Amino acid sequence: MYKKRKYLYALFAFIIAALICIPQALQMRTQAAAKKPGTVKLSSIEATDYNKINIKWKKTSGATNYIVYYKEAGSKKWIKIKTLDSAKSSYTHTSSKKYPIDTGYKYTYTVKAYNKKTKKSGAYNKKGLATNTIPQTVKLNEAKLNSNGSVTISWFKAGGADQYEVYVRNKDNTKWLSLDTVSGLNCTDKYPFEGQDNIYTVKAYSKSGKAGKYDTNGVKVYVPSGDDDDKPDITPAPTFTEEQFAAEIFRLTNVERAKHGEPLVQTNNDLNRAAMERAKEISIKFSHTRPDGTDSTSILSEYGIPDYNGGENIAAGFTSPQSTIDGWMNSPGHRVALLNTYSTHLGVGVYKSGSSYYCVQVFTAYGEKEKLTIDANGGYFPTLNNATVYDMYFYHGTALKFSRDIPTPVRDGYTFAGWMWYTTPVTGMGLTSNTKITATWN
């Protein structure tokens, strides 16, 4: 009887202990679940310098660490690059051999919260935040006054730069004015501001259109105004050669486009020749219809340039490039053409007849050339000095018809069957990048 009573007491004590432990276990489980970190909310992303990208986020609950991931935009695989403690809410990724950032490309970043006690990660923004990289800050060399009164600005190559935009300012223009866009490492200002300091700086651009930082102080050179005692009491109106007039029209066009937030246009030799021909034509017939009765855009096809988004401004009777630009900017229709967002290239033609200047601007959205490699595939091209492989160049966007635009190869014992682009038979194409076609034979 005593043993039975003792057993019942023990069983009763066990039940009481279990009832006490169950709430404690539930509480511990709840506390453990609560320690799973929350989702990280991304705040901002910025390319802060050459091959440096900064990502910021909001702190979240339950995190002992934050893990930063990145990938090239479009890639599916996230790459872990850094683990930070929970006090951090931003990270600057600097390009390295292990975790590279290539200028001109776009990268996406995300951040995941982690709790090292529970070894659990929170949810994360799967889309992430993306930005393009920027080129290196341009290091200026010098601004040199030339014997003819012009100024040559030079600088050192900047990493990741595909082109450079040159700016100028003086005492009357406290804001930087765009002077020119070039691909080399120097630029000449043919008409600097006289009798004062001219200050120049340069900004690098990548293919993506992203600009690097620039030297805000610039380089300075004083340009004298000449001896005032030798000047006549009445200053005659300045005269310009056709080349000087055209060059200044081009520069002033980019000044206006920069002031209104539009992308700068580039020059193109074929466009300049087309514009020069039009300038001579408007001295005969001042109209957007050419003397032969065709529309003005037909001049582009004569120089192999696609007329996509082509536009034309014409002027006569103005005595200076500035007054010509002012005339166009004060005319609604001409202003639209001059500030067209989609224009990438500009040709300027000026023809002087007597004391009158006839000026033409020809805009287009395509001004770069693409390479088409033609491979005779065992044959040769009789019209190309019997070459077996030959590179041809056409303006971007040109609609090619091979039977018309491409020479026909020959091969002993075979009949030419046509052209193959990779594995696809083709008779023509719109050329938008460098590519290759190969002859096929029967």
Side-chain angles (χ1 to χ4, degrees), residues 286-301:
F286 190 78
S287 170
H288 291 296
T289 300
R290 301 177 67 186
D292 64 0
T294 60
D295 184 78
S296 60
T297 55
S298 66
I299 192 73
L300 297 174
S301 61

Side-chain angles (χ1 to χ4, degrees), residues 41 46 49 55 79 114 189-190 257 259 287 296 395:
K41 183 178 180 181
E46 180 186 9
D49 207 338
I55 178 77
I79 301 171
Y114 179 74
D189 183 0
K190 295 181 180 179
R257 290 177 69 88
K259 285 197 300 187
S287 170
S296 60
Y395 280 103

Side-chain angles (χ1 to χ4, degrees), residues 34 115 264 268 322 352 388 392 435 437:
N115 189 305
L264 303 184
N268 179 287
Q322 186 64 65
K352 188 178 180 183
T388 58
M392 302 184 72
T435 192
I437 57 175

Side-chain angles (χ1 to χ4, degrees), residues 146-337:
N146 301 314
S147 59
N148 62 0
S150 65
V151 173
T152 298
I153 311 95
S154 60
W155 56 92
F156 300 97
K157 182 176 177 60
D162 292 293
Q163 60 181 13
Y164 302 90
E165 188 172 357
V166 184
Y167 295 85
V168 63
R169 62 182 173 88
N170 66 348
K171 64 180 181 179
D172 299 320
N173 297 287
T174 57
K175 293 184 178 181
W176 292 108
L177 301 175
S178 178
L179 176 65
D180 201 357
T181 301
V182 298
S183 57
L185 299 178
N186 61 74
C187 174
T188 298
D189 183 0
K190 295 181 180 179
Y191 309 106
F193 300 102
E194 294 186 354
Q196 56 188 292
D197 289 326
N198 286 248
I199 306 170
Y200 299 89
T201 194
V202 181
K203 189 184 294 185
Y205 280 84
S206 65
K207 289 181 180 179
S208 66
K210 281 278 189 176
K213 296 181 178 181
Y214 63 97
D215 187 333
T216 55
N217 294 320
V219 288
K220 181 168 60 177
V221 63
Y222 179 79
V223 178
S225 60
D227 189 353
D228 292 337
D229 294 336
D230 293 335
K231 293 182 179 179
D233 294 335
I234 301 176
T235 304
T239 58
F240 302 84
T241 66
E242 293 172 346
E243 291 78 11
Q244 289 172 335
F245 203 107
E248 184 66 356
I249 284 290
F250 183 90
R251 187 184 76 84
L252 292 173
T253 298
N254 271 336
V255 168
E256 292 296 333
R257 290 177 69 88
K259 285 197 300 187
H260 292 82
E262 300 297 342
L264 303 184
V265 287
Q266 300 177 50
T267 189
N268 179 287
N269 290 334
D270 283 342
L271 270 176
N272 286 333
R273 285 192 285 268
M276 186 62 197
E277 185 172 339
R278 285 289 296 131
K280 292 178 181 178
E281 289 179 354
I282 66 170
S283 71
I284 301 170
K285 180 181 180 180
F286 190 78
S287 170
H288 291 296
T289 300
R290 301 177 67 186
D292 64 0
T294 60
D295 184 78
S296 60
T297 55
S298 66
I299 192 73
L300 297 174
S301 61
E302 294 180 14
Y303 288 86
I305 304 170
D307 63 358
Y308 179 74
N309 246 335
E312 182 185 81
N313 278 340
I314 60 177
F318 296 99
T319 58
S320 71
Q322 186 64 65
S323 62
T324 306
I325 290 291
D326 291 342
W328 282 331
M329 290 298 293
N330 291 328
S331 168
H334 295 92
R335 179 188 177 96
V336 168

Side-chain angles (χ1 to χ4, degrees), residues 1-9:
M1 182 71 178
Y2 173 77
K3 290 183 178 180
K4 184 175 181 181
R5 186 178 297 170
K6 186 177 181 180
Y7 171 76
L8 290 173
Y9 283 151

